[in-house]
């Protein structure tokens, strides 16, 4: 064992799911490797979505990233291709035990740029106690959902990022994936229908949602007794665990739209390594430790993490502590939509949500909105 002290720095996001899970793995890894110190820092969820990883890679050895950065990474070599450093059998295990398309979401240009250590997609959640008090059942279809929303008991995240992801979902359920043509985001007919359906729901909800991300939605559902159901928001197991929130949420698969379960937009986070790290061997050993099945379903999960390894989703231990969060929502993860990851897509993603949010709040001309989105999209293709 080398006596040289190795100092590594990582950046993640500011929630128990993203932070305490990584701190716990770093602490245990340091105990197993006493010459290694790993310090994790955190930033807001919005900064996590927004700040370019090329800037972060200058300051940190380890990065928790959002998968749409994979295309950028593949083109700009700011993070290391993990397939060139990690054992083939280990990488094969992760590929075979992906939750939905989580593993694939971090691949680009023939390389794997991050490990899917955290898996998520928008799923449904409820306060079973409030539904029961009101003699209500979980909605099964979009019409059921609309009826429940009219009772004032439904909320969903309404910030630009989430409204855009929900627009993608509606388009997928209406039969068309977004950003597959060079001319438009989606056909006019599907786009208009998707926008109208989102607005129809939003008008029945508390206007406060337009400042809420999924975390704020879950805090509102657990800290107050106003809201019984959220049809789709990126899932957080934390809110279904004893001791975490004032009232616990149960998580579910989503309602059917157009005859099939909602096809929400895959999220989750990946563990990546800066191309500028000086300690490649140690960093890779740590990355392999965090991504392993054993760590994912025990230490990582036990400290607030939401694993990316499929065996952790099927595990009795993880499900028993989360009111079956994993088993109940896995069908939604498995059919989720893998959003575009071409190099310029972040330009589009950062700008397209705000006009959709504005429309959902105040209504407007759907055709004009779609042409605004198309303009942004065509520009993003040239980046």
């Amino acid at each position: 064992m080398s006596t040289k002290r190795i100092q590594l720095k990582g950046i993640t996001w500011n929630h128990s799911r993203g932070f305490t899970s990584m701190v716990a793995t770093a602490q245990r890894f340091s105990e197993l490797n006493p010459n290694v110190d790993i310090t994790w820092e955190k930033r807001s969820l919005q900064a996590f979505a927004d700040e370019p990883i090329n800037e972060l890679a200058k300051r940190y050895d380890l990065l928790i990233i959002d998968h749409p950065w994979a295309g950028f990474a593949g083109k700009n070599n700011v993070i290391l291709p993990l397939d060139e450093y990690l054992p083939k059998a280990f990488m094969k295990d992760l590929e075979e035990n992906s939750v939905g398309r989580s593993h694939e979401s971090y691949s680009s240009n023939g390389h794997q740029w991050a490990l899917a250590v955290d898996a998520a997609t928008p799923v449904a959640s409820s306060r079973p106690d409030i539904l029961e008090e009101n003699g209500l059942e979980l909605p099964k279809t979009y019409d059921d959902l609309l009826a429940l929303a009219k009772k004032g008991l439904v909320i969903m995240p309404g910030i630009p990022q989430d409204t855009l992801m929900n627009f993608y979902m509606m388009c997928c359920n209406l039969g068309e994936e977004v950003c597959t043509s060079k001319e438009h985001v989606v056909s006019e007919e599907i786009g208009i229908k998707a926008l109208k359906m989102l607005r129809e729901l939003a008008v029945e909800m508390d206007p406060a949602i337009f400042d809420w991300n999924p975390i704020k939605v879950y805090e509102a559902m657990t800290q107050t007794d106003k809201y019984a159901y959220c049809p789709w928001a990126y899932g957080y197991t934390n809110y279904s665990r004893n001791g975490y929130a004032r009232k616990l949420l149960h998580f579910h698969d989503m309602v059917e739209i157009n005859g099939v379960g909602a096809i929400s937009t895959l999220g989750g986070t990946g563990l990546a390594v800066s191309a500028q790290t000086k300690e490649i061997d140690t960093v890779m050993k740590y990355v392999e430790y965090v991504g392993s099945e054993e760590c994912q379903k025990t230490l990582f999960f036990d400290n607030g993490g939401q694993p990316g390894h499929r065996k952790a989703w099927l595990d009795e231990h993880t499900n028993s502590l989360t009111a079956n969060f994993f088993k109940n929502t896995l069908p939604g993860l498995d059919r989720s939509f893998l959003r575009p990851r071409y190099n310029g897509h972040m330009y589009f993603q950062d700008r397209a949500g705000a006009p959709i949010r504005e429309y959902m709040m105040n209504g407007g001309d759907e055709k004009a909105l779609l042409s605004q989105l198309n303009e942004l999209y065509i520009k993003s293709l040239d980046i």
Side-chain angles (χ1 to χ4, degrees):
M1 175 64 69
S2 162
T3 53
K4 176 190 155 198
R5 290 219 66 72
I6 293 173
Q7 309 269 352
L8 301 174
K9 274 173 71 179
I11 184 71
T12 182
W13 46 293
N14 183 16
H15 189 271
S16 303
R17 179 176 135 201
F19 184 63
T20 57
S21 55
M22 296 312 297
V23 170
T25 60
Q27 175 62 27
R28 185 62 188 134
F29 187 83
S30 295
E31 289 166 1
L32 296 169
N33 302 273
N35 62 316
V36 180
D37 290 320
I38 304 173
T39 307
W40 279 97
E41 295 176 10
K42 57 192 177 182
R43 55 192 173 141
S44 75
L45 192 59
Q46 198 56 52
F48 171 76
D50 293 345
E51 191 174 354
I53 61 172
N54 50 322
E55 291 304 316
L56 293 168
K58 291 174 187 171
R59 308 198 299 275
Y60 298 96
D61 302 278
L62 294 148
L63 300 91
I64 292 287
I65 67 167
D66 208 1
H67 70 74
W69 285 107
F72 177 88
K75 206 165 177 179
N76 296 285
N77 300 314
V78 292
I79 54 182
L80 294 175
L82 299 181
D83 50 289
E84 292 186 354
Y85 298 89
L86 293 169
K88 281 188 170 48
F90 173 72
M91 295 304 280
K92 189 168 171 48
D93 173 67
L94 296 190
E95 187 182 350
E96 288 172 355
N97 286 287
S98 179
V99 177
R101 296 172 72 182
S102 296
H103 183 76
E104 178 195 340
S105 72
Y106 298 99
S107 68
S108 177
N109 282 15
H111 290 291
Q112 189 72 24
W113 299 100
L115 299 189
V117 294
D118 172 293
T121 201
V123 291
S125 57
S126 72
R127 279 277 302 273
D129 56 327
I130 300 178
L131 288 174
E132 199 179 320
E133 274 164 32
N134 289 276
L136 297 166
E137 293 189 349
L138 290 171
K140 292 184 174 63
T141 64
Y142 175 81
D143 289 340
D144 294 346
L145 171 59
L146 200 52
L148 185 60
K150 287 179 190 296
K151 296 182 189 295
L153 294 170
V154 177
I155 51 173
M156 63 186 176
I159 62 165
Q161 173 82 0
D162 291 280
T163 53
L164 180 62
M165 298 303 110
N166 290 340
F167 175 67
Y168 289 174
M169 171 188 68
M170 282 295 185
C171 293
C172 287
N173 270 91
L174 294 172
E176 213 177 292
E177 290 195 349
V178 296
C179 304
T180 55
S181 139
K182 291 275 184 273
E183 281 78 52
H184 56 236
V185 176
V186 69
S187 69
E188 198 170 85
E189 182 196 354
I190 297 287
I192 288 173
K193 198 170 176 190
L195 289 169
K196 284 183 169 173
M197 286 173 79
L198 286 171
R199 165 116 176 109
E200 184 182 30
L201 263 181
V203 296
E204 304 298 345
M205 296 187 192
D206 187 332
I209 66 163
F210 291 106
D211 295 318
W212 291 354
N213 64 14
I215 295 169
K216 288 189 173 169
V217 164
Y218 295 139
E219 293 292 350
M221 288 178 77
T222 55
Q223 298 304 327
T224 76
D225 298 315
K226 289 188 200 171
Y227 313 109
Y229 188 77
C230 171
W232 37 68
Y234 284 97
Y236 279 74
T237 69
N238 314 79
Y239 295 93
S240 60
R241 303 191 198 200
N242 280 331
Y244 189 81
R246 169 185 158 265
K247 295 279 185 174
L248 295 188
L249 298 180
H250 282 197
F251 286 82
H252 319 275
D253 198 356
M254 295 160 289
V255 297
E256 287 192 354
I257 303 171
N258 204 25
V260 286
I263 302 166
S264 61
T265 307
L266 186 68
T269 63
L271 178 55
V273 174
S274 167
Q276 296 190 29
T277 186
K278 306 279 190 289
E279 304 290 349
I280 291 179
D281 290 351
T282 305
V283 169
M284 291 300 167
K285 195 174 161 191
Y286 172 67
V287 167
E288 186 180 352
Y289 170 72
V290 176
S292 69
E293 175 193 337
E294 188 57 30
C295 181
Q296 284 270 295
K297 66 187 190 187
T298 56
L299 187 75
F300 182 84
F301 164 78
D302 289 336
N303 287 279
Q306 189 161 299
H309 198 290
R310 192 174 189 88
K311 286 185 178 161
W313 283 66
L314 300 171
D315 188 65
E316 290 308 323
H317 169 67
T318 60
N319 278 285
S320 69
L321 296 176
T322 58
N324 287 323
F325 172 100
F326 297 100
K327 287 179 182 172
N328 289 347
T329 62
L330 187 56
L333 269 290
D334 281 344
R335 66 170 181 268
S336 60
F337 167 62
L338 179 56
R339 74 191 109 150
R341 292 168 304 137
Y342 60 89
N343 186 42
H345 190 69
M346 291 304 284
Y347 173 88
F348 177 75
Q349 183 176 298
D350 288 345
R351 291 162 179 80
I356 297 174
R357 173 180 176 267
E358 176 65 27
Y359 165 82
M360 282 170 66
M361 288 167 78
N362 302 310
D365 180 338
E366 294 87 6
K367 283 188 182 179
L369 170 51
L370 288 172
S371 74
Q372 189 183 350
L373 296 180
N374 291 339
E375 209 174 294
L376 285 169
Y377 172 59
I378 288 160
K379 193 169 178 186
S380 76
L381 290 174
D382 291 332
I383 290 173

